[in-house]
Amino acid sequence: MKTISRKLFHLLLLLVIIPCKGQTIDKKHGSLPFYNPALSIDIRIQDLISRLTLEEKADQMMHNTSAIERLGIPPYSYWNEALHGVGRSGVATVFPQAIGLGATFDGDLAYRVSSAISDEARAMHNAAKAKGYNKQYGGLTFWTPNINIFRDPRWGRGQETYGEDPFLTATIGTAFVKGLQGDNPKYLKTAACAKHFAVHSGPEKLRHEFNAEVTQKDLWETYLPAFQALVEAKVEAVMCAYNSTNGEPCCANKYLITDVLRKQWHFKGHVLTDCGAIDDFYTPKGKGGHGVVETQAEAAALVLKSGVSLNCGDSYTALPEAVKKGLITEKEIDDQLAILLRTRFKLGLFDPMGSNPYDAISADVVDSKEHRALAKEVAEKGIVLLKNNGILPLKNDLSKYFVTGPNSANTEILLGNYYGVNPNMVTILEGIAAAVNPASQLQYRLGAMLNQAAVNPIDWASGNASNSDVTIAVLGISSLLEGEEGESLASPTAGDRLDYNLPQSQIDYLRNLRKAADKNPVNKKPIVAIITGGSPMNLAEVQELADAVLLVWYPGEEGGTAVADILFGKISPSGKLPITFPKSLDQLPPYEDYSMKGRTYKYMNVDPLYPFGFGLSYTNFTYGEAKLSSKSISKKENLVVSVKVTNSGKVKSDEVVQLYVSDLVASVEVPNFQLTNMGRITLEPGETTEVSFRLTPKAFEIVKNDGSRSIESGEFKIYVGGSSPMKRSFELGAPKMAEALITVK
């Protein structure tokens, strides 16, 4: 905060106290300088802090702040959620879960989604404010996006991320932040938050005491790039994680918060704790905490001194005690409170109603026709076709369809975690039922439960597969089995998935369906498997038993409509996997090991079940020769890579064109190849278009063992295609990639 002399400060207050148009603040308090939008934010913050007692300052630095009636300040809750729509607040558009958005590989789409979310957030906040409601989850400071790297499929919260790749995560995350925060030069539309800083992706059960050990190379090559990108995009807040990183709890980690976030990246926003994280500081080791101090006052002082302005929890109630004990000064509290209050002023929360354009957003935008259409678009573009022996797309006028499986009529699988609510959730069964011809017959049976064997083993369901034209089996997992500690009620491992397989009850049922469908060997009936979930799972047997496999994630309120559109060919699937599906957990290092060796497409040296970036279409794409603007460039030059892409099939479709770079000779270990650029195109049958990518020198950087970046002279290989260059991609049907060599001098 800029400093001014006390004399000048008071002079400015006397000179610039003016009434404001549209003022809704009562006359008793409206003349206070911190309510005057004509003053600078710095002056207003100083004025407000000068009027607070020490206890009030501490209270204003916790997520649920109290009203200060003598100043006319209402309560405010910083804790609000908007992972894939405004969450936990009221009726809102429920977009597909974050991992499904990641599967679109589309930053522009992410921007449109978050812009719609922030519209709804402002509308809901405006309506609540008019009623005098100040509940938690009704504010404008949103603790999203989650940009942790989904390094291991066992992590139950991986569904909240955009996948395993830092470039993809940074691209989607940056776009999401920009849409949430808006482009007004004075006001934030809402405040976004990058979480969880840093090196955080399980185990859930140990997160309050776990120490993630990571090398500088992995830190700067994998775990930090997305956070840096969001800071450069001016994200308003950063949430520190529960766990320790390299021996220091993240919410008092000098290297992460002071050295990297503040000094190196020049982050100006506020840092907040994950909820209850300060409690872990004084909970002894061996009893579920870090045990770095003995008392709450010591913990509160340590975290605040480390640069954390906001406590999700109530540990900052001990700050006055910490001042009395000499653990911290009131000036240090003032400094952090000033950083935090700046966010509320930028949101216009101390300005008269009508001062910023977002005050005019009305409730009719909430779950509007346009937002529902956008939710469907995201679901459609994120659905990944993993297998198709020619059965898809289906005709919608077959004589009989059989829809079955534990997730076919389940609204839970539309939601994922951190969700909102909606009065018109379209289940997969409902979507299919709405799409089939009135002349057709449709049968539905649950057939199997989500994750347990039936008490009564009589099977009245699977026989329908023998007399139906097609069986659509909706299988997979839900947030009952994967998610956050405490959320996943059916998970024996705190939301993590230490068993990589689909529940045995579902596999047994699919086998019965296959047996029934093959009853007549001359006229075998097809089975389409629709898989729900937010993480990789062992689908090897599903791949074998089903004629087609669609991965639909947690597809949101219009999920059933989107699935039907794909099934019946109204739109061609174009989603790509944002995370690698290993064949089994045996292909991965131990879960607690944070080394990237052997993890993700960048470092795996074995063939996975499904590779990163993979996804089939109803058409075929052909890639021409990769053309380079130069065959040799200096370390400071840009490079343009162009390739012609042809829709050589008979169906209009989107294609996600992906560009990967591989450093062929390096002084340190480097990724096998890494995603460096991408673009979504739409082609009519027979249409050809040229796609060009501009690569900056950063595309050729390597991360050395000390975490520093450099560009080394030598040869690099460039791949352009519809999947990652893993051999398994082409075995499964991905088109041949365009390749080229470039020399960097």
Side-chain angles (χ1 to χ4, degrees), residues 672-694:
N672 297 325
F673 29 77
Q674 52 191 339
L675 182 67
T676 308
N677 217 320
M678 59 198 182
R680 178 177 280 268
I681 59 173
T682 304
L683 292 179
E684 298 284 349
E687 183 181 1
T688 297
T689 191
E690 185 171 73
V691 180
S692 294
F693 296 106
R694 177 176 171 271

Side-chain angles (χ1 to χ4, degrees), residues 568-588:
F568 297 109
K570 191 172 182 180
I571 190 168
S572 174
S574 60
K576 304 291 184 177
L577 291 179
I579 184 166
T580 304
F581 279 47
K583 291 179 179 177
S584 73
L585 297 181
D586 293 337
Q587 289 187 316
L588 299 177

Side-chain angles (χ1 to χ4, degrees), residues 76-247:
Y76 181 75
S77 179
Y78 283 93
W79 188 350
N80 306 281
E81 303 291 352
L83 181 63
H84 53 113
V86 178
R88 301 179 179 177
S89 183
V91 171
T93 304
V94 180
F95 291 93
Q97 177 60 293
I99 193 72
L101 179 59
T104 70
F105 279 57
D106 192 335
D108 292 337
L109 183 60
Y111 177 80
R112 288 196 283 135
V113 168
S114 58
S115 296
I117 292 171
S118 56
D119 275 351
E120 295 196 8
R122 273 287 179 171
M124 295 164 74
H125 178 75
N126 292 342
K129 188 163 60 174
K131 284 283 191 180
Y133 299 155
N134 298 286
K135 297 288 187 182
Q136 183 172 305
Y137 307 128
L140 297 171
T141 41
F142 288 100
W143 295 350
T144 195
N146 182 342
I147 55 167
N148 292 130
I149 297 301
F150 198 177
R151 67 180 178 96
D152 192 297
R154 285 165 279 208
W155 188 34
R157 295 188 72 181
Q159 61 175 284
E160 300 175 30
T161 75
Y162 303 124
E164 71 184 25
D165 182 74
F167 176 81
L168 176 62
T169 299
T171 300
I172 302 292
T174 296
F176 208 86
V177 166
K178 289 180 177 179
L180 283 180
Q181 296 191 167
D183 57 3
N184 187 279
K186 182 177 180 181
Y187 291 102
L188 288 171
K189 194 178 184 187
T190 67
C193 172
K195 67 182 188 184
H196 309 82
F197 191 63
V199 197
H200 175 83
S201 53
E204 278 295 293
K205 199 169 185 177
L206 302 177
R207 63 183 183 170
H208 298 282
E209 58 184 311
F210 186 74
N211 178 38
E213 297 182 3
V214 61
T215 65
Q216 285 291 301
K217 180 173 173 59
D218 283 341
L219 187 66
W220 288 96
E221 194 167 67
T222 297
Y223 294 110
L224 291 184
F227 282 100
Q228 184 173 1
L230 264 63
V231 169
E232 291 172 354
K234 300 188 183 331
V235 69
E236 186 66 14
V238 171
M239 177 187 284
C240 49
Y242 287 116
N243 57 279
S244 292
T245 294
N246 292 338

Side-chain angles (χ1 to χ4, degrees), residues 244-357:
S244 292
T245 294
N246 292 338
E248 277 191 290
C250 289
C251 289
N253 194 300
K254 179 181 179 298
Y255 179 74
L256 289 175
I257 297 175
T258 302
D259 297 347
V260 174
L261 189 61
R262 293 295 188 192
K263 292 183 178 179
Q264 187 168 337
W265 295 347
H266 307 293
F267 176 63
K268 303 300 183 185
H270 69 267
V271 180
L272 64 141
T273 71
D274 208 335
C275 297
I278 298 179
D279 298 350
D280 301 336
F281 280 64
Y282 56 89
T283 301
K285 288 184 178 180
K287 294 186 178 181
H290 299 302
V292 293
V293 295
E294 294 184 357
T295 69
Q296 187 181 59
E298 290 175 304
L302 174 60
V303 172
L304 189 135
K305 278 178 172 287
S306 299
V308 178
S309 303
L310 177 60
N311 168 210
C312 181
D314 59 6
S315 292
Y316 274 5
T317 56
L319 284 176
E321 178 187 350
V323 172
K324 292 175 184 176
K325 290 184 175 180
L327 301 173
I328 197 167
T329 66
E330 189 166 356
K331 172 65 165 56
E332 289 174 304
I333 293 173
D334 290 352
D335 289 345
Q336 289 302 323
L337 178 57
I339 295 172
L340 181 59
L341 285 173
R342 183 173 296 273
T343 299
R344 286 170 72 176
F345 278 99
K346 288 166 72 175
L347 288 165
L349 296 179
F350 293 101
D351 290 4
M353 190 66 178
S355 298
N356 74 72

